Amino acid sequence: MKLTRAMLDEAAGQGLLDAGQAGRLWQFLVEREQHTPGFKPAHILYYLGGLIAIGAMSLFMTLGWESFGGTGLLFISICYMVAALGAVEWLRVRGLVLPAGVLAAFAVVLVPLAVYGLQHMLGLWAGGGAGSSYRNYHYYIDWRWIFMELATLAAGAVVLWRYRMPFTVMPLAVTLWYMSMDVTEMLLGHYSLFSREGKIISAVFGVAMTLLALWIDLRNRSSKDYAFWLYIWGVLTFWGALSSMDSGSEFGKLVYCLINVLMIGIGAALSRRVFAVFGGFGLAGYLGHLSYTVFRDSLLFPVALTAIGIAIIAAGVFWQRREAAIGAGLRQWLPGPVRLLVERRAA
C-alpha cells in the first residue's frame, strides 16, 4: 500500500484524525522513509558510489597492483578497511544509515585482498595458475580461493553483528556463490558448469543458501531485510544449475516446469519477487520449448495457451475477491513460524 500526504489529508477531512495528527504522522513517515532503501536520488548516489568503489577493489582491480607485493597489498587493504570502518562510525552517529551500510560492505569486500596479500607474504601462493593474480579471484575458479572466502564470511559476520546493516549481507551472499564453484573444483579436481556433478553441487548450494535466507527471515523481528541478498544469490545459483541440466525426456522438462510454478507460488507466499521472476523465466522457457519443439506444427497450441492465460487471469480475479478467506485457509497448512512470517509480510 502506498501512502501519500493527500490520503492523510483526506482521512483528516473525514474526521478519522485531526489535521495536527495527520501532519505529525506524515513527518514521522517521511523521516522513517529516509532510512528505507528505495529509488530516491540520494539513495541512488549512495549505491552507485559504493558499487564503483567496491568494483574498483574487486572486479576492476588492475594487474599493476601486483607490483606492491604481498606486504604492500596487505598494508593497503588494511588502511582502506580502517578508513571505511571509521567512516561507518562517523555516519552512524549522524543517522546516515544507508551510506554507512554501503561503506561497511566495502570494508568486507577488502578482506579477500588482505588475505591474498598475507598469503603471498607468507609464500603460500607458490606456482602459477589462477592464484597468480588477485584480479582472477573474480574470474577463475580455484580451490585455493576458499581460504579468502572463509575469511570474508567470518569478517562479514563480525561486521554484520556490529552494525546490523542489511547491505553488508551482499558481499557475503556473493562469496557463498563463489564458494559453491570453488568447493566443486576442490571436490572433483575440476569444475565445469556443464558437468552433471557441478550442476548438482551448485543446485545444492543454492537450496542451502535459500534455506539460510528463510531461516534468517523467520528469526528477524526488525523492519530491516537481512535475507534479501541471500534470497537473490541462492535462487540464482539453484535456478541456474537447474535450468542448465538436460532432463533428456519430456517428463523431466515437465518436472522442471512444475518446479518453476512452485517457485512462483513460494514468491507469492513469502512476498519475495526473486522467486517469481526466475520461476517466470523458467515457465516461459518451458512454454517456448513446447511451442518450438513439441507442438511445432500444431494449430491449436496457441489457442490452448491463450485459453490457459485467460484462465489464470480469471483465477486472479477469483483470488482477489476472496483473498482473505483463501489466504487464511492456506496458511492453516503452513508450519507456525512460516505462517507468522507470511502474516507479518501481508500486514
Side-chain angles (χ1 to χ4, degrees), residues 94-236:
R94 287 154 180 79
L96 298 171
V97 179
L98 285 180
V102 172
L103 288 177
F106 175 65
V108 175
V109 169
L110 290 165
V111 173
L113 179 61
V115 176
Y116 173 82
L118 178 62
Q119 287 178 312
H120 263 281
M121 188 176 68
L122 298 176
L124 300 179
W125 274 112
S132 60
S133 170
Y134 173 76
R135 178 185 179 91
N136 293 332
Y137 173 66
H138 301 282
Y139 298 99
Y140 293 96
I141 297 166
D142 191 317
W143 68 268
R144 293 176 295 178
W145 300 131
I146 291 176
F147 299 105
M148 299 159 61
E149 292 159 352
L150 290 174
T152 302
L153 294 177
V158 172
V159 171
L160 183 61
W161 170 81
R162 172 69 178 86
Y163 297 115
R164 299 289 199 276
M165 295 175 177
F167 193 69
T168 312
V169 180
M170 187 271 288
L172 301 184
V174 175
T175 300
L176 287 172
W177 180 50
Y178 283 3
M179 186 177 287
S180 70
M181 295 178 281
D182 294 330
V183 167
T184 302
E185 201 271 347
M186 181 177 67
L187 294 177
L188 303 180
H190 68 282
Y191 178 86
S192 173
L193 181 62
F194 303 103
S195 69
R196 181 174 179 273
E197 296 85 355
K199 295 172 184 176
I200 292 174
I201 294 177
S202 294
V204 170
F205 255 86
V207 171
M209 204 185 312
T210 304
L211 291 176
L212 174 62
L214 178 60
W215 180 77
I216 292 173
D217 232 357
L218 293 174
R219 293 177 60 87
N220 183 25
R221 293 296 179 268
S222 72
S223 59
K224 298 179 180 179
D225 191 356
Y226 294 102
F228 175 79
W229 291 103
L230 290 171
Y231 275 123
I232 286 182
W233 289 102
V235 172
L236 174 61

Side-chain angles (χ1 to χ4, degrees), residues 64-106:
W65 277 63
E66 296 291 329
S67 62
F68 291 112
T71 304
L73 290 175
L74 176 62
F75 176 76
I76 292 172
S77 57
I78 290 177
C79 289
Y80 269 62
M81 279 191 280
V82 170
L85 294 176
V88 171
E89 294 287 351
W90 187 85
L91 291 168
R92 284 179 68 236
V93 172
R94 287 154 180 79
L96 298 171
V97 179
L98 285 180
V102 172
L103 288 177
F106 175 65

